[in-house]
């Protein structure tokens, strides 16, 4: 006789998930327990009719993955600069260079260009509001653009002819320390949540200019050798590579913070209450202040009396 034919039959699972019949409980309770178990396993995952949440979820997953890869590249760039410090020392203390000048400078300049691109991508793909990072996003984007161009030009020149363009390439690179230091200070201030207003931005500009001037002074202030090379090239390389190690650490921290922020919003979309997302609130404020802030009211084309705000580009 089956379990359904016995009104006092009780069904419970054992350790092997097989069903056994016991008196004292009807089979209808088994269905209730199964329904409760199914409800328990599906309740923690959110569901919504808002299709934009699916797009936002995919965007945050892509941002988290990209920033993790950028963080790994920052570690690689840090290792490259540490290696170049050692190679710079070995080449100086040996009659025959351990690594040729061509290979040494190609690695130096192209790694710097790759890092400038990674720094720009990390800022463009941050899930945080740019207004929370720097008060004037337009200025920050212009600095990033100049940073990429100023790091690409010397890399190409050295690739074409090291003997002809070595000094010029170093001059451009050390002048570009101005933009690289400024961006690093902006990222560092956003990570430490310190904003000194106009005075803070003035201090960041001053420190960035000071680093660039020190690099140029060390490179140009020691004179030239009989062959026409710069005496201060070795010392300026030490300063440059040490600065790049610190810079790679700052950008690594920024990329990992981006990943943490993106993972936090992914968790809110899937398991929490996304309507209280502070990241989305900051993005909304950025959109209003960038595109609709102060825009004049107009009327739509269907002859209705309902005004709407015409989007207008506005930068803080």
């Amino acid at each position: 006789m089956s379990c359904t034919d016995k009104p006092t039959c009780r069904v419970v699972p054992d350790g092997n998930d097989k069903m056994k019949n016991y008196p004292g409980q009807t089979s209808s309770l088994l269905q209730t327990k199964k329904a409760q178990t199914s409800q328990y396993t599906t309740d923690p995952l959110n569901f919504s009719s808002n299709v934009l949440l699916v797009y936002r979820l995919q965007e945050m997953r892509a941002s988290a993955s990209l920033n993790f890869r950028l963080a790994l590249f920052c570690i690689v760039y840090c290792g490259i600069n540490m290696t170049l410090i050692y190679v710079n020392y070995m080449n100086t203390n040996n009659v025959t260079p351990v690594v040729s000048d061509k290979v040494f400078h190609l690695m130096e300049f192209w790694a710097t260009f790759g890092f400038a691109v990674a720094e720009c991508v990390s800022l463009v793909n941050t899930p945080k509001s740019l207004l929370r990072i720097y008060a004037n996003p337009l200025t920050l984007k212009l600095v990033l653009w100049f940073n990429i161009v100023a790091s690409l030009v010397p890399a190409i020149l050295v690739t074409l002819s090291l003997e002809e363009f070595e000094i010029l390439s170093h001059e451009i690179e050390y002048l570009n320390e101005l933009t690289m230091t400024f961006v690093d200070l902006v990222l560092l201030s956003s990570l430490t949540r310190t904003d000194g207003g106009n005075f803070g931005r003035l201090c960041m500009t001053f420190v960035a200019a000071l680093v660039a001037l020190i690099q140029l002074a060390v490179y140009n202030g020691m004179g030239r050798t009989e062959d026409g090379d710069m005496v201060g090239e070795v010392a300026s390389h030490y300063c440059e590579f040490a600065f790049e190690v610190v810079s790679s650490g700052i950008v690594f921290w920024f990329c990992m913070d981006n990943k943490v922020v993106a993972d936090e919003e992914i968790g809110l979309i899937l398991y929490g209450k996304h309507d209280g997302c502070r990241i989305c609130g900051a993005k909304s404020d950025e959109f209003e202040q960038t595109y609709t802030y102060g825009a004049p009211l107009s009327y739509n084309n269907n002859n209705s009396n309902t005004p709407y705000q015409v989007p207008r580009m506005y930068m803080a």
Side-chain angles (χ1 to χ4, degrees):
M1 182 178 296
S2 64
C3 180
T4 55
D5 297 331
K6 295 181 179 181
T8 60
C9 178
R10 183 164 62 94
V11 182
V12 296
D14 63 4
N16 298 323
D17 292 336
K18 295 180 180 179
M19 298 302 171
K20 294 182 179 180
N21 298 339
Y22 294 90
Q25 185 176 5
T26 60
S27 61
S28 61
L29 295 180
L30 176 62
Q31 299 177 355
T32 304
K33 286 191 174 183
K34 287 183 177 180
Q36 291 175 350
T37 304
S38 176
Q39 182 181 7
Y40 176 77
T41 56
T42 57
D43 275 351
L45 190 63
N46 290 336
F47 62 91
S48 173
S49 60
N50 187 355
V51 295
L52 292 179
L53 280 181
V54 178
Y55 169 78
R56 184 64 177 172
L57 177 62
Q58 294 174 347
E59 183 184 24
M60 289 298 99
R61 282 178 171 172
S63 178
S65 177
L66 177 60
N67 278 281
F68 181 72
R69 291 194 292 268
L70 292 174
L72 291 179
F73 177 79
C74 291
I75 296 177
V76 173
Y77 183 66
C78 180
I80 290 175
N81 282 278
M82 289 181 175
T83 304
L84 290 177
I85 291 176
Y86 180 71
V87 172
N88 189 45
Y89 169 79
M90 293 296 295
N91 284 353
T92 306
N93 292 274
N94 286 276
V95 178
T96 303
V98 178
V99 179
S100 65
D101 287 343
K102 184 74 173 180
V103 174
F104 180 84
H105 285 90
L106 285 177
M107 183 175 293
E108 171 193 354
F109 284 99
W110 282 110
T112 301
F113 168 70
F115 181 70
V117 173
E119 199 171 39
C120 179
V121 173
S122 67
L123 269 169
V124 172
N125 288 273
T126 178
K128 297 175 286 188
S129 170
L130 282 179
L131 291 176
R132 299 292 181 91
I133 299 175
Y134 192 67
N136 195 331
L138 179 60
T139 301
L140 187 59
K141 292 174 183 178
L142 290 175
V143 170
L144 287 172
W145 176 84
F146 182 81
N147 185 19
I148 292 177
V149 174
S151 59
L152 175 62
V153 171
I156 295 176
L157 291 176
V158 167
T159 304
L160 295 176
S161 176
L162 176 62
E163 295 77 11
E164 186 69 26
F165 301 117
E166 180 181 359
I167 295 178
L168 176 61
S169 298
H170 277 109
E171 298 285 2
I172 297 175
E173 182 186 29
Y174 295 148
L175 183 62
N176 189 39
E177 297 290 349
L178 173 66
T179 62
M180 295 188 67
T181 308
F182 179 80
V183 174
D184 290 338
L185 291 175
V186 169
L187 299 183
L188 185 61
S189 65
S190 69
L191 291 169
T192 56
R193 272 71 175 177
T194 56
D195 185 12
N198 293 330
F199 177 76
R201 290 188 286 273
L202 182 62
C203 290
M204 287 189 290
T205 305
F206 173 76
V207 173
L210 182 63
V211 171
L213 288 175
I214 291 174
Q215 294 270 58
L216 290 172
V218 172
Y219 184 70
N220 294 282
M222 296 184 178
R224 292 175 178 261
T225 63
E226 295 178 356
D227 299 330
D229 296 329
M230 290 294 186
V231 177
E233 181 178 358
V234 175
S236 63
H237 276 155
Y238 283 124
C239 296
E240 174 193 354
F241 299 145
F243 167 75
E244 296 300 337
V245 168
V246 176
S247 180
S248 62
I250 294 174
V251 180
F252 170 80
W253 184 9
F254 180 75
C255 292
M256 290 305 297
D257 188 66
N258 286 342
K259 184 181 184 305
V260 170
V261 171
D263 288 338
E264 178 185 352
E265 185 168 354
I266 291 173
L268 288 175
I269 294 174
L270 294 178
Y271 311 108
K273 296 181 179 179
H274 190 258
D275 52 355
C277 176
R278 58 181 179 84
I279 309 165
C280 296
K283 280 288 187 181
S284 177
D285 294 340
E286 177 186 353
F287 174 79
E288 291 179 0
Q289 296 186 39
T290 304
Y291 296 99
T292 62
Y293 183 85
L297 291 178
S298 181
Y299 292 86
N300 50 24
N301 297 326
N302 57 6
N303 296 325
S304 68
N305 294 324
T306 304
Y308 70 96
Q309 202 167 24
V310 179
R312 180 176 65 84
M313 192 65 180
Y314 172 80
M315 302 307 297

